[in-house]
Amino acid sequence: MTVSPDRKPVVVTDLDEAFAAVRATGLRLTAARRLVLEALLAARAPISAEDIADGLGGRMTQSDIASVYRNLETLGELGLVRHFHAGHGPGRYVLEGFGDREYLACESCGLLESVEPAALETVRDAVRDLSGFEASFSHFPIVGLCARCAKKRARAAR
Amino acid sequence: MTVSPDRKPVVVTDLDEAFAAVRATGLRLTAARRLVLEALLAARAPISAEDIADGLGGRMTQSDIASVYRNLETLGELGLVRHFHAGHGPGRYVLEGFGDREYLACESCGLLESVEPAALETVRDAVRDLSGFEASFSHFPIVGLCARCAKKRARAAR
DNA sequence: TTTTTTGCAAAACCTTTGCAGTTGG
DNA sequence: CCAACTGCAAAGGTTTTGCAAAAAA
């Protein structure tokens, strides 16, 4: 079993910064790489590799899914991109530039509720109190029902 | 996005009880079905569909992986079996008979730490306090580092 | 006998890999 | 120029599905 090496997030908030960050590492700024960055920046939310390869449903240029995965991995190693698994389905990728966020995944409506990492500190504390287990929600977020769906569920069960 | 219907756990603690529970539903008690139940009972811990198909590494009779999946699903609907996804890798299946447990998955050593569901109530409370989100850990358990691995990690970082 | 279930093979889904050809610097 | 990168195609791991044959009740 492996654990991803600690990568310091590299915050970029526009394309130029992203491109500069890539160039600064000596990596090449190819068309495929640019497309990935553009899609992530346009999405402003966690999306799948397929979303990117599709060009966000046709709104952008399409690209090869294998290159997308390779670039997501590379950009992840650079600290520009983070990815996580929210329940079933494909992994989600998001630009670190949108701020340090963690997510709560609603398994009913698909909502990815974004919360500040600090807010989850009390949650991590509660887990740690159990047995010293250090919970990490950044790669496998908490899954459940958002407030809306939980209410709906409660109403349905009445 | 779908959510599994609420299934009341059906607790069985030996083969005869399991077989009886299956018969009671009108479902047929086939050899393949029995093998799944036997493997789950012998394992006494969450295992993968492949573990079952392999006959627990040769200790038991092998069976067809497709039938294993179909039976796990059927037995899940009956409330005899629960399954969840602990980080990467195949899903894990466990007999409800081993008591109502939740798990904490260590992504370093692979340990599945079993805890009482009630113990996670404080954790769920902490999440609920954030935004009303109802966390559920039974299908997507908390992932992180067990106390042992966390300590090792801290030592290595010194 | 009838309906359920099986075993096999094929496909679906997400992701990774090999490789020959292309391209950025 | 040439190492880095791409696109394509194939494969890997996990799970589902179609279907004719087998078996439970």
Side-chain angles (χ1 to χ4, degrees):
Chain A
M1 206 144 256
T2 49
V3 175
S4 46
D6 297 75
R7 300 161 181 168
K8 276 147 276 292
V10 173
V11 174
V12 296
T13 56
D14 65 24
L15 264 189
D16 288 343
E17 278 178 35
F19 291 176
V22 172
R23 281 209 195 82
T25 66
L27 291 181
R28 292 178 184 180
L29 194 52
T30 63
R33 204 103 88 194
R34 241 170 299 168
L35 247 15
V36 169
L37 257 359
E38 281 169 25
L40 288 169
L41 203 51
R44 304 194 59 81
I47 55 181
S48 70
E50 207 190 359
D51 291 336
I52 299 173
D54 283 356
L56 297 183
R59 292 193 282 118
M60 320 197 59
T61 311
Q62 302 193 182
S63 34
D64 182 77
I65 187 83
S67 297
V68 170
Y69 274 112
R70 274 186 291 230
N71 279 318
L72 286 170
E73 158 132 68
T74 302
L75 297 171
E77 281 160 7
L78 297 189
L80 286 167
V81 170
R82 193 157 71 78
H83 83 127
F84 59 89
H85 304 273
H88 292 116
R92 314 296 209 96
Y93 298 80
V94 67
L95 256 206
E96 288 284 7
F98 300 139
D100 200 15
R101 309 300 293 178
E102 305 249 35
Y103 299 90
L104 305 178
C106 177
E107 59 184 344
S108 176
C109 69
L111 173 73
L112 272 185
E113 190 173 325
S114 150
V115 302
E116 283 194 38
L120 289 182
E121 201 44 56
T122 59
V123 180
R124 267 184 288 270
D125 289 346
V127 176
R128 192 179 304 112
D129 285 349
L130 261 42
S131 66
F133 191 97
E134 288 293 334
S136 163
F137 303 116
S138 48
H139 195 45
F140 290 102
I142 292 173
V143 173
L145 296 175
C146 67
R148 237 176 102 73
C149 289
K151 237 170 261 170
K152 227 176 287 181
R153 199 61 61 100
R155 226 175 293 133
R158 58 122 182 47
Chain B
M1 205 147 255
T2 48
V3 174
S4 43
D6 297 75
R7 301 162 182 166
K8 278 147 274 293
V10 173
V11 173
V12 297
T13 55
D14 65 26
L15 265 189
D16 288 343
E17 278 179 34
F19 291 177
V22 171
R23 279 209 196 82
T25 66
L27 291 180
R28 290 178 184 180
L29 193 53
T30 64
R33 204 102 89 193
R34 241 171 295 163
L35 247 15
V36 169
L37 257 1
E38 280 170 24
L40 287 169
L41 202 53
R44 305 193 59 80
I47 54 181
S48 70
E50 207 191 359
D51 291 337
I52 299 173
D54 283 357
L56 297 184
R59 291 194 284 117
M60 320 196 59
T61 311
Q62 303 192 183
S63 34
D64 182 77
I65 188 82
S67 297
V68 170
Y69 274 110
R70 274 187 290 229
N71 280 318
L72 285 170
E73 157 133 69
T74 301
L75 297 172
E77 280 159 7
L78 297 189
L80 285 167
V81 170
R82 192 158 70 79
H83 82 132
F84 59 89
H85 303 274
H88 292 116
R92 316 295 210 95
Y93 299 81
V94 65
L95 256 207
E96 288 285 7
F98 301 139
D100 199 15
R101 309 301 292 178
E102 304 249 34
Y103 299 90
L104 306 178
C106 177
E107 57 184 346
S108 177
C109 69
L111 174 72
L112 272 185
E113 192 173 324
S114 151
V115 302
E116 283 192 39
L120 290 183
E121 201 44 56
T122 59
V123 179
R124 268 184 288 269
D125 289 346
V127 176
R128 192 180 304 110
D129 284 348
L130 262 42
S131 65
F133 191 97
E134 287 293 335
S136 163
F137 303 116
S138 48
H139 195 45
F140 291 102
I142 292 174
V143 173
L145 296 175
C146 67
R148 239 177 102 74
C149 289
K151 237 170 259 167
K152 227 177 284 181
R153 198 62 61 101
R155 225 175 292 134
R158 60 119 182 47

